[in-house]
């Protein structure tokens, strides 16, 4: 039987949750990080188009395409900080994987949950290469939607099992403690950023401030720390004081994008940074010694979404959590689109 | 009851066909042209981002976004000429309309059929302003997937009821005659381009040649003709001899894009052209007199897709041909994405 050319597998939010739970969250994060690592190793194969942003007073809508020459992927994602007030996600996303050879989509999936997972997987992948060896304690500054994913990814990939939590809103910390309780972490609620950072080998900042904020000041950052800066991810939105940056060896995903969107937007455009793929492939060193302070200045790059789409497609082979979507017109004769339309009216009763 | 924030209406190919048939094809084309005209009248309101193309040896995948500041739309569309050999469409498409205020998608729809309709509606809209008054006879050069839509749009908007058909492949012409028979046209099969053009007041070229082709040479084009050039729509793909262009008053959708993709890629970059919105708003004249030869050099622009998405969304109010798609994560507490995921596992049995 010929394949149904018009059908595209669709992973709904419900299907994604069931897929993640069926695989297991930590295993999902670990395998996803493996796909990201694999794609970072073949960095030069990717089309690195800048994301296409449509800005408005309330937020931004972005399209993030990339391709490895065989497969094409893109993500639709918004960023609207005020959404929370109306019970909406600040960031919602969906994505598509397509065949470069014929241009047909081969997967459509929710990506709000998947983006949270790929962001955490990328952070932990960077942590694996950059954090002090044997690190077990992580400060988690900002206990919102991304926090628990970061925690589980750092445990799965780096071995972190002690968390020092702080959020400007204690309710967020409580939510985080509630969700992580019973998952085997040593959890500490901290009263300030300074208290959270104390004794931590890794500091993850994942706050949602829009304006340039200073979550971490220079005096809080001890030598040898690894900072995982996740919350600063668009122009005008940063979390670290410039003095902190000047003391760190800085690692980014894709420098041209990070210089606009990342913490390093605060630095001169020629400030030296290393792209993570260079560390992964051994082209550039990662952490040099125990005294070096490292920063992964994460903004999220299209290749990570590509890896995530690729991973989900792979998992669907054994976990069929998808529906068939009648997305593409498929006339018997490709030139007869109009005839297909006409015959739809003459066909048997449909409802 | 609060609206389900996670649900996006989805119009499948089957739903789109049923919507078009329920509305009536010609009425659909007329109303759609009205929406396009309305949007062209407020041309300056639109974000005119160039389309983002990912080229490969076999074809191209493009994202075409635009926004009027209130609503955002984009289309995913491919162009793969070899697809026909494998029974696939050369062009397949889908699109999304979203709310600029919160970034949430509010419509996902197939756009293969819808693109065929909007292309024809735009051509006929241009014809309404540019064709000789009272024109009834149109040569239709290229009788593939777009041909019948052009025919019906020109009848609905311009009053064309005599068609002179030619295709390099007689089977395509037969298909076209079969589909249009009984719809009230005077249909003539012609043995050559020259024969088709004879006596026509409008010439529509909609061939699928990839290389620069010369469907219309200068000697075939009589004074006073309106040429609707649809098939030349990407770099290296043209249908008209440059001498034809030099004799025409040329009208385009959006000059920066048309100079790359349209027939006018063959002309110097400063050759004067008029954008269609200028004619529609009265800012620039359309056809000056009966002796003038006019050309609408159509390539397809994102604003037309935006109008089409907007029109479909409007029609769904009275013709509910859509399904609810669980595309967006909607946790009870926006910051608790992880908790939603955890609770999905503890919930009642789902399948």
């Amino acid at each position: 039987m010929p394949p149904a050319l018009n059908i595209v597998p669709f992973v709904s939010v419900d299907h994604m949750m069931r897929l993640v739970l069926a695989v297991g969250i930590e295993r999902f994060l670990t395998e996803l990080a493996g796909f990201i690592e694999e794609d970072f190793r073949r960095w030069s194969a990717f089309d690195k188009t800048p994301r296409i942003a449509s800005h408005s007073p309330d937020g931004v809508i972005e399209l993030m395409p990339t391709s490895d020459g065989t497969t094409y992927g893109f993500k639709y994602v918004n960023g609207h900080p005020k959404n929370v007030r109306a019970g909406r996600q600040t960031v919602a996303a969906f994505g598509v994987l397509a065949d470069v050879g014929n241009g047909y989509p081969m997967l459509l999936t929710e990506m709000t949950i998947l983006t949270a997972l790929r962001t955490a997987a990328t952070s932990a992948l960077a942590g694996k290469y950059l954090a002090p060896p044997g690190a077990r304690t992580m400060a988690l500054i900002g206990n919102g939607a991304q926090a628990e994913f970061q925690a589980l990814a750092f445990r799965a990939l780096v071995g972190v099992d002690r968390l020092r939590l702080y959020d400007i809103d204690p309710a967020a910390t409580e939510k985080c403690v509630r969700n992580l309780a019973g998952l085997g972490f040593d959890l500490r609620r901290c009263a300030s950023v300074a208290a959270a950072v104390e004794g931590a080998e890794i500091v993850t900042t994942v706050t949602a401030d829009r304006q340039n904020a200073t979550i971490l000041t220079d005096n809080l950052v001890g030598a040898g720390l690894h900072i995982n800066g996740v919350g600063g991810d668009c122009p005008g939105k940063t979390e670290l004081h410039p003095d902190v940056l000047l003391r760190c060896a800085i690692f980014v995903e894709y420098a041209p994008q990070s210089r606009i969107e990342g913490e390093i937007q605060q630095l001169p455009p020629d400030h030296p940074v290393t792209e993570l793929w260079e560390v992964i492939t051994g082209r550039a060193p990662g952490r040099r010694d125990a005294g070096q302070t490292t920063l992964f200045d994460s903004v999220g790059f299209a290749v990570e979404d590509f890896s995530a789409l690729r991973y989900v497609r792979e998992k669907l082979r054994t976990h069929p959590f998808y529906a068939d979507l009648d997305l593409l017109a498929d006339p018997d004769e490709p030139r007869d689109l109009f005839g297909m339309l006409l015959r739809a009216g003459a066909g048997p009763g449909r409802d």
Side-chain angles (χ1 to χ4, degrees), chain A:
Chain A
M1 213 175 81
L5 299 179
N6 57 321
I7 296 301
V8 177
F10 167 61
V11 180
S12 67
V13 172
D14 186 51
H15 276 141
M16 182 62 75
M17 293 195 295
R18 290 200 278 159
L19 174 62
V20 175
L21 292 172
V23 173
I25 304 180
E26 285 186 64
R27 187 174 149 215
F28 193 103
L29 287 161
T30 305
E31 291 180 350
L32 173 51
F35 271 62
I36 296 169
E37 189 167 4
E38 194 174 289
D39 286 337
F40 275 35
R41 279 191 194 281
R42 57 193 189 102
W43 191 253
S44 67
F46 288 93
D47 218 9
K48 281 167 284 288
T49 318
R51 60 176 93 192
I52 305 98
S54 175
H55 293 278
S56 64
D58 289 329
V60 63
I61 297 175
E62 296 177 330
L63 299 174
M64 299 168 69
T66 191
S67 161
D68 67 2
T70 302
T71 307
Y72 169 95
F74 84 88
K75 179 166 84 170
Y76 170 106
V77 59
N78 75 305
H80 286 72
K82 286 186 208 154
N83 271 6
V84 175
R85 292 186 214 155
R88 288 188 168 86
Q89 289 288 296
T90 302
V91 172
F94 67 91
V96 167
L97 207 63
D99 184 329
V100 167
N102 60 39
Y104 271 40
M106 48 196 194
L107 173 68
L108 169 69
T109 175
E110 88 80 36
M111 285 191 82
T112 310
I113 295 167
L114 191 58
T115 296
L117 289 157
R118 78 86 160 118
T119 300
T122 305
S123 280
L125 174 63
K128 193 176 85 168
Y129 283 95
L130 300 174
R136 290 181 58 186
T137 306
M138 179 162 86
L140 198 40
I141 317 290
N143 301 153
Q146 173 63 202
E148 298 93 335
F149 296 101
Q150 288 283 339
L152 287 188
F154 270 87
R155 182 164 71 188
L157 274 91
V158 182
V160 164
D161 59 358
R162 299 167 187 158
L163 296 176
R164 305 182 62 80
L165 307 171
Y166 173 74
D167 196 289
I168 196 168
D169 176 4
T173 305
E174 283 314 310
K175 172 227 51 159
C176 203
V177 167
R178 206 161 50 235
N179 283 333
L180 292 174
L183 296 180
F185 287 99
D186 174 47
L187 298 169
R188 297 290 162 94
R189 297 175 187 80
C190 300
S192 65
V193 172
V197 168
E198 213 170 290
E201 294 139 312
I202 300 170
V203 175
T204 289
T205 58
V206 58
T207 64
D209 268 294
R210 259 165 313 154
Q211 259 89 63
N212 289 318
T214 307
I215 310 298
L216 280 186
T217 48
D218 197 34
N219 62 313
L220 292 175
V221 177
L225 211 61
H226 174 62
I227 305 171
N228 172 40
V230 180
D233 61 357
C234 65
K237 183 160 171 268
T238 58
E239 295 179 309
L240 310 181
H241 192 280
D243 287 348
V244 174
L245 304 182
L246 294 173
R247 268 216 292 134
C248 290
I250 302 177
F251 300 84
V252 300
E253 288 139 313
Y254 179 52
Q257 182 179 309
S258 302
R259 292 200 189 274
I260 297 166
E261 301 173 4
E263 295 298 330
I264 59 170
Q265 66 187 268
Q266 306 179 77
L267 298 182
D270 59 349
H271 188 89
V273 300
T274 304
E275 291 184 338
L276 186 55
W277 71 272
E278 299 179 284
V279 179
I280 289 173
T281 57
R283 220 182 97 127
R287 163 175 294 272
R288 283 177 200 271
D289 56 58
Q292 192 180 38
T293 308
T294 51
L295 165 65
F296 177 53
D297 180 10
S298 165
V299 295
F301 186 54
V303 171
E304 294 148 30
D305 298 309
F306 180 95
S307 310
L309 287 164
R310 201 165 66 76
Y311 174 62
V312 167
R313 184 154 190 270
E314 178 63 32
K315 294 316 275 186
L316 294 183
R317 290 178 204 274
T318 46
H319 298 82
F321 294 121
Y322 63 89
D324 288 335
L325 215 61
D326 171 27
L327 185 61
L328 303 173
D330 179 29
D332 298 333
E333 213 286 78
R335 288 182 305 190
D336 200 8
L337 197 60
F338 186 82
M340 180 182 79
L341 177 59
L342 282 190
R343 284 187 292 276
R350 293 148 167 260
D351 61 2

